[in-house]
Amino acid sequence: MEELHGSVENIIFASSDGRFSVFRLRPDGQRGVVTVTVQMEPPLQGQQLELKGNWVEHPRFGQQFKAEHMLVAAPTSLEGIERFLASGAIEGVGPVNAKRIVAHFGGDTLEIIEKAPGRLKEVSGIGAKTAEKIHRSYLKKAELRQIMLWLEQHKVSGIYAGKIYAKYGSFAVEVMESNPYRLAREIDGIGFATADAIAAGIGLQADDAMRLSAALEFQLQRISLSGHCCVPDNLLVSEVEKSLGVNREAIWDVLKQDLANGVLEQEVLGDSLLVYPEYLYQAEVETAEHLLFLQERAKPINVVNSLRLVEKWQQQADISLADSQKEAIQGVLQHGIFVLTGGPGTGKTTVIRGMIDMLESQGLKIILGAPTGRAAKRLSEATGRKASTIHRMLEAQGGDSSDGAIFGRDIDDQLEADAIILDEVSMMDIVLMRHFLEAVPAGCHVILVGDVDQLPAVGPGSVLKDILRSGVVARVCLTEVFRQSEASSIVMNAHAINAGRVPSLSASSDSSGNDFEFIELNNPEAVEQQIVRLCRDILPQQGYSPLEDIQVLSPMHRQACGVENLNRRLQAALNPPASYKPEFVSSIRSFRLGDKVMQTKNNYDKGVFNGDIGFIEEMNEAHVKVRFGEDLTAVYERAELSELQLAYCMSVHKSQGSEYPVVILPLVPGHRIMLQRNLLYTAITRAKKRVILVGSKAALNTAVANDRTRQRYTLLAERLAHSL
C-alpha cells in the first residue's frame, strides 16, 4: 500500500449519501495534481491529507489513486487556509470573506475561528451573527476530523467517520470508547469485525462481557441468513467459541445474562433450549397470534349452498373442475385463513380465478399480491385483476426498525379489504409475513397460495411449510396434473423430479427445439462455453431474445459455472464493450450501457426491491439510470451501484416467483453441495416454454436423489398448534 501527502485542490464528485467521492490532490513537493477516489465523504478544499492506497488505471479516466485510508489535518499554508474557507464548506464564508479573514489573521486564522470567534468582527463585513455561524460550522468540521483521526489512531479506516458523525454527532468518540459494538448494531456498513477492531484498539479484553454479548448477537444474525429464526443454545455457544477462541464457560455466563435481561429471547422445546434474536422472536410470536386471530374473527359469508354456487360458476366459465378444486373454491367462503398449494399444471390459477369470482359475487372487496414484482405481474395477467408486490401493498417506506422496514399500512392504518389473496407464499419470510398480517383488518379473509415443494424463502423462517405442518389452518393441496396428454414435458418432469424420479430427457448435442432438453457435457469449461453459445447464437436464431426471453440459472455463485463467472462471460458475449457505451469498472463489478441487472436489496426510496430485474438505459460519470419494467425507472449514484448485480445469470434462489420463456441450468459435479431436489424442481418450474439442462448425468442424478432439505430452526407450527 502506497502513501500520498498533499492538499485538496477541488472536489470533482461527491455522492449525496456520502459513500463515494472523487477529488484532485496537489501532492507535497510535486507539480500538477492527481485524481483520488475514496469510498467516503469528500474532504474540504485546502485540507491537508495523508492517504494510503494504490494506483489504479481507470479505462476512461486514466490513472487514479484509490485511497483506502484518509487522515485529514487542518490546512497549514495561507493559500490552503484561504482555499479551505472559500470552498463553501464553512457556513458564512465565501471567497471574498475568506480572503479578508486570512489577510487579517494570517496563519492564526483557524485558531481564531475555533477559540476566539468574537475577533472575526474585526474583519470588514462580518457581524456577530455571521461570526457565530462561522464558529459553529467550523466546529462541526473539526469534530468530523476528530472522529477520522480517532479511527485511524485505532487502526480503523476513517471512511466510516461521516456515518458515525451523522448518527452520534458530538458524542461519537464517547460512544466508540464506551461501547464500540453499538456501531455494528446501529450503522449500516459497519459489522462485528470492524467494531471488534475498534474494541481491540481501545484495549477491551477478549473475554469482556460486552464483546461476548455482541458476538452472540452477531452469530444469531449469521444464523438467520441461513433461514433460521432460532438456534439451540449449545450450537450458538459453539459457534461463538470457534470464532473468538474464548473460554466456553465465559460465553455461557454471558448468554444466560442476556437471556435473563431480555437482550435475547428463548423457547424450550422438549429437552432443547432455543435462542432467538429479539426481533425474530417477536415476528414469530406475532405471526402466530395474527393468524389465529384472523382465523377466528373472519366475517361469515352467508351462502346457503356453496357447492351449488361453485358448480354454477364452472358452467358459466365452461370449465370442468376436479373435486379438490371445488373444495378449494368452497373453502374461501367458509374459512378466515385458507391455504392452497400445488405444483405446476395442477390448476392453481383456475382455482384462484374461481375464488375471486365467488368472493366478488358476495360483494367482497379483494386485494391481490405477491412477494416480487414478476410474481405480481404473473398473478395480474392470470386473473385479469390488478396485483401488487406485498411491499407496495403495505406502502413500504424504509426506515430504521430492527428488521429494516417501516410500512405505511400497519396495525394503526390497516388495509381496506374484505379478502386478500397472496401468491408465491413459499417465498415469504417470517418478518414480511408478520408485517402483512399486522395490516390485515379483523374480519378479512386471507388466502395463501404457493408451492410448498419449492425452495424456502431466502430470509428466516419456513412460513408456508410451518402453517401446513401445524395442522390448524384449512387447506387444499392440488396433486392431479390436468390434461396429462397435453401437458408439457416441463410439467411432467417437474412432478417426476418431485417424486424422486429422473426426468425423461431429450438428449442433444446442441439444442433441438424440444421443450425439455439435456446437453451432456462432463467438463465445466465446456458447459460454460455451451451456455454462451446457446444465449448468443443458437437460441436467438430460433427467435428468442437473449435478454428478454432467456434466463440462465445456477445453483452456486462460485466456480466456472457459477453466477459470477457466467455473468462475466455472458456480458462479454451479449453486451460487448463499444466506444459509444459508457462503462463503470471497479475491482468488484463492471457495468455498461444496456446491461441486464438485478436489484439485490430493498430500496424503499426508489421503489425497487430485492430481485427486481432491469436494464441500464443511461450512464454518465455521476449516475446510472435503470429501467425496471414499463412504469418504473430508478437513478443510482455511483456509490449506490453496490445494490445492483449483473442478471444474465442468477441463482435459483433469486429466480423464485418469476417465469421465463427459456431457462438454462448448468449441472456440474462442482456444485454438489447445492445439488438437491427442491433446487432442481424450483429451477425447471421457472420455465414457460423450454428447459435446457447442460452438464453431467451424475450431477443430475445427485440432485434428484438428494431430498434432504436443510432443517430450519423455527417454532411457528408449534405456536399455532399451542404445543409449546
Side-chain angles (χ1 to χ4, degrees):
M1 196 173 286
E2 299 186 47
E3 293 190 12
L4 191 62
H5 299 247
S7 62
V8 179
E9 188 74 11
N10 65 296
I11 308 301
I12 300 173
F13 170 75
S15 66
S16 61
D17 62 2
R19 295 185 178 184
F20 182 74
S21 57
V22 184
F23 58 90
R24 288 192 176 92
L25 185 85
R26 186 174 297 279
D28 293 343
Q30 297 181 30
R31 291 184 177 180
V33 295
V34 298
T35 300
V36 178
T37 66
V38 64
Q39 289 185 318
M40 66 177 297
E41 289 187 341
L44 306 174
Q45 269 185 273
Q47 280 188 323
Q48 192 71 24
L49 304 182
E50 297 177 15
L51 303 172
K52 292 181 181 179
N54 296 290
W55 292 99
V56 297
E57 189 71 27
H58 190 281
R60 288 189 64 205
F61 305 119
Q63 191 180 54
Q64 299 178 339
F65 190 79
K66 183 179 179 182
E68 302 292 342
H69 295 268
M70 184 169 81
L71 186 60
V72 181
T76 52
S77 69
L78 295 184
E79 180 188 358
I81 294 171
E82 184 179 329
R83 228 176 28 248
F84 165 53
L85 293 177
S87 68
I90 305 300
E91 292 180 45
V93 185
V96 174
N97 277 345
K99 184 178 288 293
R100 289 174 179 171
I101 292 170
V102 173
H104 189 79
F105 296 114
D108 297 328
T109 294
L110 298 181
E111 187 174 358
I112 294 293
I113 292 173
E114 181 177 358
K115 297 179 180 178
R119 289 193 59 194
L120 290 171
K121 291 182 291 183
E122 298 172 14
V123 178
S124 174
I126 297 180
K129 287 185 178 179
T130 301
E132 180 59 26
K133 183 188 290 185
I134 294 170
H135 173 63
R136 284 200 310 268
S137 181
Y138 179 78
L139 287 183
K140 284 184 180 179
K141 300 299 179 185
E143 286 173 344
L144 182 59
R145 189 173 78 243
Q146 180 188 14
I147 295 167
M148 294 177 68
L149 182 61
W150 192 95
L151 288 168
E152 295 285 352
Q153 287 173 341
H154 291 84
K155 297 182 172 56
V156 177
S157 174
I159 65 173
Y160 301 109
K163 289 182 179 180
I164 294 170
Y165 179 75
K167 179 71 176 179
Y168 305 118
S170 302
F171 299 99
V173 172
E174 183 182 330
V175 167
M176 291 188 291
E177 288 179 339
S178 61
N179 184 357
Y181 296 103
R182 281 184 62 182
L183 303 179
R185 297 187 187 99
E186 299 171 0
I187 296 182
D188 182 38
I190 297 183
F192 177 81
T194 300
D196 205 37
I198 295 173
I202 64 174
L204 204 70
Q205 295 298 308
D207 60 353
D208 188 282
M210 187 190 302
R211 182 181 191 234
L212 299 185
S213 180
L216 287 164
E217 187 176 343
F218 172 66
Q219 285 299 332
L220 282 172
Q221 289 174 352
R222 288 190 63 221
I223 288 164
S224 73
L225 294 176
S226 298
H228 304 292
C229 290
C230 53
V231 66
D233 56 353
N234 60 338
L235 179 57
L236 175 61
V237 170
S238 295
E239 288 296 314
V240 173
E241 181 186 30
K242 185 165 59 177
S243 65
L244 299 187
V246 175
N247 180 274
R248 190 177 180 86
E249 291 306 314
I251 302 170
W252 274 114
D253 289 342
V254 172
L255 175 58
K256 291 172 185 174
Q257 179 181 320
D258 283 354
L259 290 171
N261 294 337
V263 175
L264 303 176
E265 299 286 352
Q266 63 183 310
E267 202 69 76
V268 176
L269 182 67
D271 297 330
S272 299
L273 189 147
L274 296 154
V275 182
Y276 287 79
E278 193 273 339
Y279 81 100
L280 286 179
Y281 179 82
Q282 291 300 328
E284 194 175 272
V285 168
E286 291 178 23
T287 296
E289 289 175 350
H290 287 308
L291 282 168
L292 294 172
F293 173 79
L294 291 167
Q295 184 182 51
E296 180 183 331
R297 294 290 297 275
K299 292 178 182 176
I301 302 174
N302 297 315
V303 176
V304 176
N305 190 327
S306 59
L307 179 57
R308 182 177 299 170
L309 202 61
V310 172
E311 289 175 341
K312 182 180 178 181
W313 176 80
Q314 81 170 344
Q315 289 174 356
Q316 292 172 342
D318 193 23
I319 294 171
S320 178
L321 296 173
D323 290 343
S324 59
Q325 292 178 305
K326 293 177 183 177
E327 181 187 350
I329 297 174
Q330 285 179 272
V332 299
L333 299 173
Q334 299 165 353
H335 303 284
I337 303 287
F338 188 82
V339 177
L340 173 68
T341 68
T346 58
K348 290 199 302 293
T349 300
T350 299
V351 171
I352 293 172
R353 287 200 295 262
M355 290 175 170
I356 293 171
D357 287 348
M358 287 297 101
L359 294 168
E360 285 183 340
S361 73
Q362 302 304 306
L364 274 64
K365 181 181 178 182
I366 304 168
I367 295 178
L368 304 181
T372 67
R374 289 199 167 214
K377 185 179 180 182
R378 285 174 50 209
L379 180 60
S380 181
E381 291 169 348
T383 60
R385 308 298 203 282
K386 180 184 176 182
S388 67
T389 65
I390 296 168
H391 283 90
R392 289 192 175 95
M393 179 194 299
L394 299 180
E395 300 173 12
Q397 300 168 3
D400 300 319
S401 65
S402 58
D403 53 61
I406 291 176
F407 295 93
R409 294 290 185 170
D410 55 20
I411 199 163
D412 296 318
D413 187 8
Q414 296 182 313
L415 296 163
E416 297 170 6
D418 302 307
I420 302 173
I421 299 175
L422 297 186
D423 198 8
E424 297 286 359
V425 175
S426 63
M427 298 178 64
M428 289 182 69
D429 63 33
I430 193 72
V431 174
L432 183 58
M433 181 59 80
R434 173 257 186 127
H435 282 299
F436 164 71
L437 292 172
E438 188 176 72
V440 177
C444 183
H445 293 249
V446 175
I447 298 97
L448 305 175
V449 183
D451 185 347
V452 77
D453 293 314
Q454 289 187 26
L455 289 167
V458 174
S462 299
V463 177
L464 183 61
K465 189 173 288 187
D466 282 354
I467 290 173
L468 294 171
R469 186 165 63 87
S470 73
V472 303
V473 175
R475 72 309 194 37
V476 166
C477 180
L478 303 176
T479 57
E480 180 183 352
V481 178
F482 294 94
R483 295 187 298 277
Q484 292 200 20
S485 60
E486 301 173 25
S488 70
S489 298
I490 297 171
V491 170
M492 301 311 296
N493 280 329
H495 287 276
I497 289 167
N498 207 24
R501 300 192 304 272
V502 175
S504 175
L505 302 174
S506 170
S508 160
S509 61
D510 215 334
S511 183
S512 59
N514 294 316
D515 63 359
F516 198 101
E517 303 163 48
F518 178 73
I519 301 174
E520 185 172 8
L521 294 168
N522 293 311
N523 182 286
E525 285 70 29
V527 172
E528 170 195 340
Q529 292 166 11
Q530 179 63 28
I531 288 172
V532 172
R533 281 196 297 271
L534 284 165
C535 295
R536 182 189 58 203
D537 305 322
I538 299 167
L539 291 171
Q541 290 173 5
Q542 298 173 10
Y544 294 104
S545 164
L547 297 183
E548 299 283 354
D549 296 336
I550 303 167
Q551 186 59 58
V552 180
L553 305 179
S554 179
M556 291 184 71
H557 283 270
R558 305 289 182 179
Q559 303 183 17
C561 292
V563 171
E564 294 170 8
N565 184 57
L566 285 174
N567 264 324
R568 285 191 292 268
R569 291 293 310 275
L570 290 167
Q571 182 194 40
L574 302 179
N575 189 28
S579 59
Y580 63 88
K581 293 181 186 177
E583 290 186 334
F584 168 80
V585 180
S586 73
S587 58
I588 303 172
R589 53 184 56 83
S590 170
F591 296 117
R592 68 177 60 104
L593 186 67
D595 272 337
K596 182 179 182 180
V597 294
M598 177 170 58
Q599 178 77 12
T600 61
K601 62 184 289 189
N602 292 336
N603 188 316
Y604 305 96
D605 294 331
K606 299 184 192 302
V608 291
F609 301 99
N610 191 354
D612 285 354
I613 303 293
F615 295 90
I616 296 177
E617 61 179 18
E618 287 183 24
M619 292 186 84
N620 57 43
E621 291 184 10
H623 299 98
V624 172
K625 186 176 182 180
V626 180
R627 173 176 53 82
F628 292 96
E630 298 175 359
D631 57 351
L632 177 64
T633 58
V635 177
Y636 295 78
E637 294 182 353
R638 287 299 178 99
E640 297 177 305
L641 292 182
S642 60
E643 295 184 15
L644 297 174
Q645 69 179 43
L646 293 174
Y648 300 97
C649 177
M650 69 177 72
S651 69
V652 178
H653 280 88
K654 287 287 188 183
S655 74
Q656 285 182 266
S658 299
E659 276 190 344
Y660 315 96
V662 182
V663 165
I664 301 173
L665 179 72
L667 290 170
V668 296
H671 291 165
R672 175 177 295 273
I673 191 172
M674 291 298 293
L675 293 176
Q676 55 194 46
R677 188 181 300 171
N678 62 350
L679 182 138
L680 179 59
Y681 173 81
T682 300
I684 68 171
T685 54
R686 301 308 90 209
K688 290 192 287 188
K689 295 181 179 179
R690 294 176 68 177
V691 169
I692 304 174
L693 306 179
V694 188
S696 72
K697 285 186 177 176
L700 173 62
N701 292 336
T702 296
V704 173
N706 182 11
D707 66 344
R708 297 189 306 275
T709 57
R710 187 177 297 171
Q711 178 193 1
R712 289 192 170 193
Y713 291 108
T714 165
L715 297 178
L716 178 61
E718 287 75 12
R719 295 186 195 284
L720 288 168
H722 298 297
S723 61
L724 286 176

